């Protein structure tokens, strides 16, 4: 019998491990909005294109929309400069939920404004190892996870709608310090 074909990943899941160097995010899929040309695959992980790191780049999966959303990224282990954010309800404007990770804390925001006790959410993520970061919105409850541990939960009395799940990276001068091996826009 013929060998079974390799199963396709579930909708919304992208692994960057097998793409050749210099593959742009826009070449991985045409469904990316934002600035997909600002990202490229290098050595099996997605990173900001060299020379753009200090400015930061963002992208979102425009094929994934709806009132309930989730985003999950796996960040390749190593020195962590901060500047990695995952977002929901992105549409190229400030109208979205986002969480930005730093060395020992995370900052949750709605439309750019910190909510409740969310300005400095402590965590114990070991950045030397690969880290799985997740943000979900189901109904009016938004949750932040680091390596499977719930770090924060927020109930929004007037939840945002529309937009798509995405991420942004501002690695500074060394773009190799923020690298994603996978992106999942439907982890709920």
């Amino acid at each position: 019998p013929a060998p079974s074909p390799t199963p396709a990943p579930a909708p919304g899941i992208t692994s960057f491990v097998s793409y050749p160097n210099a593959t742009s995010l826009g070449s991985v899929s045409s469904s990316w909005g934002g600035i997909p040309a600002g990202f490229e695959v290098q050595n099996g992980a997605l990173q900001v294109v060299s020379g753009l790191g200090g400015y930061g780049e963002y992208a979102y999966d425009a094929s994934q929309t709806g009132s309930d959303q989730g985003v999950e990224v796996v960040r390749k282990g190593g020195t962590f400069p901060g500047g990695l954010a995952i977002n929901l309800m992105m549409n190229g404007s400030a109208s979205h939920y986002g969480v930005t990770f730093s060395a020992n804390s995370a900052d949750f925001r709605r439309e750019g404004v910190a909510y409740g006790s969310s300005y400095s959410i402590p965590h114990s993520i070991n950045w030397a190892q690969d880290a799985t970061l997740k943000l979900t919105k189901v109904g009016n409850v938004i949750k932040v996870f680091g390596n499977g541990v719930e770090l924060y939960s927020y109930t929004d009395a007037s939840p945002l709608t529309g937009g798509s799940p995405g991420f942004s990276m501002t690695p500074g001068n060394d773009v190799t310090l923020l690298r994603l091996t996978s992106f999942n826009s439907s982890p709920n």
Side-chain angles (χ1 to χ4, degrees):
S4 300
T6 304
I13 298 175
T14 303
S15 172
F16 303 110
V17 174
S18 62
Y19 284 94
N21 286 348
T23 301
S24 73
L25 184 57
S27 295
V28 170
S29 170
S30 61
S31 69
W32 287 99
I35 310 174
F39 298 95
E40 67 181 1
V41 175
Q42 290 293 337
N43 301 313
L46 188 72
Q47 66 185 46
V48 172
V49 172
S50 184
L52 299 178
Y55 303 107
E57 301 295 322
Y58 75 96
Y60 54 90
D61 182 356
S63 72
Q64 302 292 318
T65 59
S67 59
D68 291 342
Q69 292 186 9
V71 61
E72 181 179 84
V73 299
V74 176
R75 188 251 173 195
K76 192 163 182 68
T79 302
F80 185 68
L84 175 60
I86 53 177
N87 308 284
L88 297 176
M89 313 316 227
M90 289 185 77
N91 59 12
S93 73
S95 182
H96 66 276
Y97 298 104
V99 59
T100 302
F101 288 86
S102 63
N104 299 307
S105 65
D107 175 16
F108 171 77
R109 292 178 179 260
R110 179 189 191 272
E111 297 183 304
V113 177
Y115 268 67
S117 61
S118 66
Y119 184 69
S120 184
I121 304 164
H123 66 70
S124 58
I125 296 170
N126 178 357
W127 296 111
Q129 305 295 318
D130 289 2
T132 301
L133 311 172
K134 182 175 171 181
L135 178 64
T136 63
K137 177 190 172 289
V138 178
N140 65 342
V141 178
I142 299 90
K143 294 183 178 185
V144 177
F145 299 85
N147 287 334
V149 176
E150 183 178 315
L151 303 174
Y152 182 73
S153 180
Y154 168 71
T155 302
D156 191 341
S158 180
L160 299 175
T161 59
S164 301
F167 63 92
S168 63
M169 290 193 260
T170 308
N173 292 329
D174 187 349
V175 296
T176 66
L177 296 181
L178 283 181
R179 304 176 70 229
L180 302 180
T181 57
S182 69
F183 173 88
N184 181 353
S185 60
S186 54
N188 287 338

